[in-house]
Every structure is written in C-alpha cells, then in structure tokens.
Amino acid sequence: MIRWAALCAALLALLPAPALAWGYYAHTVTADIALENVTPETRAKIAQLLRSAPELGTPDCALASLEDASVWPDCLRKDYWRWGYTFAWHYRTTPVCEAYEPRKNCSGQNCILAQIERNQRILADEALPANVRLEALAFLVHFIGDVHMPLHSGDHEDRGGNDIETDYGIVPDLNLHWIWDGPLAERAITSSPMPLARRYSAEERAAMAGGTPADWGRESWETSRDFVYPNAFDRPPCEGADLPDETALTQEDIERAIPIARRRVLQAGLRMADYLDAAFAPGPLPEPERD
C-alpha cells in the first residue's frame, strides 16, 4: 500500500497544472541563467525596477525577483478580464509543412516575436514610468523563455501539440505540448551534469547566444518539424497521411529529447542576458531588421 501511494503521488505530480507555459521551473531557471550572465549594472537596474511592483496592481502575482518576473505573465491568466488581451502573445504557431514566415499569424503585434521586440524597447525607454518598464521586463523575460520551447512555434492545426493526447512513459493521457512544457523540461534541467544557472565564458556564450526573435522562432519551428513530431510519431509530419491525435513517448523517446530540451533552456537564458544588457545599456536600441 505504501508503494502504491507513492506511485500515485508521483503520477499526480506529473498531471498538468492549469494555464502554465513552459512550466514554472523552466522559466525560473532561464531567469537564473540570465541573472548570472548580465552585467552588474544590469543587475542593479533590474533590482531598482522591481521596487515598483506594487504599482502594477497584481498583489496575487509575486514580482519581487527576476524569477518572479519570468512567470508573472502566466500568473495573470487568472484575471482574464484585465489581461486576456495578452494571452495570444505567448506563442506563434504556424504550419510546420509550409515555408516559415516570421510575420504570419502576427496581426497587430499579437504574437510572441513582435512582443519580444516591443517589450525590449519599452524596457529600454528611461522616459517611461518605472512600473511600465517593469511590466515590459516581465513580459520580455517570459516571452524569451516561451519562444525557445519548440512547440510554442509548433503546428497551427494541433495548437502546438495541445491537441495531441500523449502518454509520457507510464503516465497516460497528457498532451504533447504540456509534456515539453513541464516534465520533459524539468528532467532536462535536473539531469544536467553541471548546474545550468552559472556564469558562462565568452566562448560558451558565443556558441549558444545571438540571433533575433525571428531566428529563435525559426529554430523552435524547425525543432518541432524535424525532431519533436518525428520523435513522438516515429515518422516525419510532412510525409504521408495526417498525424493521429494520440501517441506515446517511450523511455527511449524521452532520452533522445532531453539534450534538445536542455539546450533550448540554456539558449533562452543566455539570449535573455544579452537582451537585458542591451535594454539597459546607454543609448537607443538599434532598429530591428524587417523581413
């Protein structure tokens, strides 16, 4: 009975929590990586902005640290009438079997790629009130995390894997998106041979960081097309009949996915550090390239 209770508790821990994108743990680790790799000046300016958190009027959503900021936009989902207009900003799904177009499905800046650029510019504008810039900081760090989760740029038809019922090892009836959001990301982080949240050398950062939000979205889209769907269904998504609505990840499938999920977490943290340093640096941000 004791073993059975322990197994039930373990299974319950894997069940989806409502309204979380790239689960709490993965988001906070990306924030920890970023904070370890920003300049001391950026760290001080972040701390200063966090003092204006009470002015945002979200007492039920903590905002006292960069870790809090990384999950604050998900916490807002409990208040649809005030924040519902932001919910489409967390992703940009697009057909994985068609050409990648960064501006498709992004009308009125209502997608993650546009909102990363927008919120970095708001954060960089020192003429704006501190609470406005703090809100932008939270959205920026959260969305940089989200865009690196492959299925936030997954196929439009299955809502980035949300409509694909998927067993995760012995745990049944989850969905493919949530698995990559939660248990797979957490396993990738906790099984790392070295702590992910640490100071990285210039050479390590050069190998992992760089690029634009459109580049990061393309990487996630390609990862979904070339790995996530083939790994889940044992065949490419763009060959043959449509993919079924349910599948299962074996232990071998999970093991193959771990290094890819870990790399995306690390890339998100280091790129976040670069974007935060750029936002707090003196002078205006350069104009982004347009497709």
Side-chain angles (χ1 to χ4, degrees):
M1 287 296 293
I2 293 174
R3 283 197 297 268
W4 175 248
L7 176 60
C8 289
L11 294 177
L12 286 172
L14 288 172
L15 292 177
L20 287 180
W22 211 17
Y24 178 93
Y25 189 42
H27 272 299
T28 56
V29 169
T30 63
D32 291 340
I33 294 168
L35 205 58
E36 289 287 338
N37 289 277
V38 295
T39 66
E41 293 78 13
T42 293
R43 195 177 296 113
K45 290 178 179 179
I46 290 170
Q48 184 176 7
L49 281 184
L50 288 167
R51 297 179 191 139
S52 65
E55 298 173 35
L56 291 176
T58 57
D60 294 332
C61 296
L63 194 49
S65 66
L66 197 66
E67 280 192 350
D68 289 343
S70 73
V71 293
W72 182 81
D74 276 342
C75 182
L76 301 179
R77 295 191 180 199
K78 65 182 70 172
D79 191 355
Y80 173 84
W81 294 112
R82 182 178 175 193
W83 297 102
Y85 70 96
T86 70
F87 297 170
W89 296 354
H90 293 246
Y91 60 90
R92 195 193 72 93
T93 54
T94 188
V96 296
C97 296
E98 298 178 9
Y100 182 77
E101 301 176 43
R103 299 296 163 184
K104 188 175 182 180
N105 299 335
C106 197
S107 176
Q109 295 187 317
N110 282 306
C111 79
I112 194 166
L113 304 184
Q115 288 300 322
I116 291 173
E117 292 180 352
R118 172 180 173 268
N119 283 288
Q120 189 196 30
R121 291 186 172 276
I122 293 172
L123 176 60
D125 189 348
E126 294 183 350
L128 293 173
N131 62 303
V132 174
R133 297 177 67 213
L134 175 59
E135 180 181 311
L137 170 68
F139 280 126
L140 176 65
V141 298
H142 182 85
F143 294 152
I144 290 177
D146 273 353
V147 78
H148 283 82
M149 201 289 267
L151 286 168
H152 280 260
S153 300
D155 195 66
H156 188 66
E157 291 302 314
D158 61 33
R159 298 188 306 125
N162 274 292
D163 295 335
I164 299 175
E165 183 178 308
T166 307
D167 296 345
Y168 180 72
I170 64 171
V171 184
D173 303 330
L174 305 180
N175 72 67
L176 188 61
H177 186 107
W178 188 83
I179 287 169
W180 275 81
D181 263 351
L184 185 53
E186 292 178 14
R187 183 166 174 186
I189 294 166
T190 58
S191 64
S192 175
M194 295 183 65
L196 293 187
R198 58 183 173 85
R199 185 77 179 178
Y200 287 82
S201 69
E203 292 77 14
E204 289 173 313
R205 291 183 67 164
M208 288 282 187
T212 67
D215 296 327
W216 310 338
R218 181 187 295 274
E219 290 170 353
S220 285
W221 175 80
E222 289 175 344
T223 302
S224 292
R225 181 196 63 193
D226 298 340
F227 179 81
V228 176
Y229 289 111
N231 190 55
F233 292 99
D234 298 319
R235 70 173 178 86
C238 306
E239 296 180 9
D242 291 342
L243 296 175
D245 295 332
E246 58 184 54
T247 189
L249 294 183
T250 65
Q251 189 60 37
E252 292 75 17
D253 296 330
I254 295 167
E255 292 291 340
R256 282 192 294 269
I258 285 172
I260 292 173
R262 183 183 298 140
R263 180 179 177 86
R264 295 306 278 167
V265 172
L266 179 53
Q267 287 176 315
L270 293 178
R271 289 163 170 174
M272 188 185 300
D274 287 346
Y275 261 54
L276 291 173
D277 280 343
F280 287 111
L285 290 169
E287 285 297 320
E289 294 181 6
R290 296 301 176 190
D291 303 288

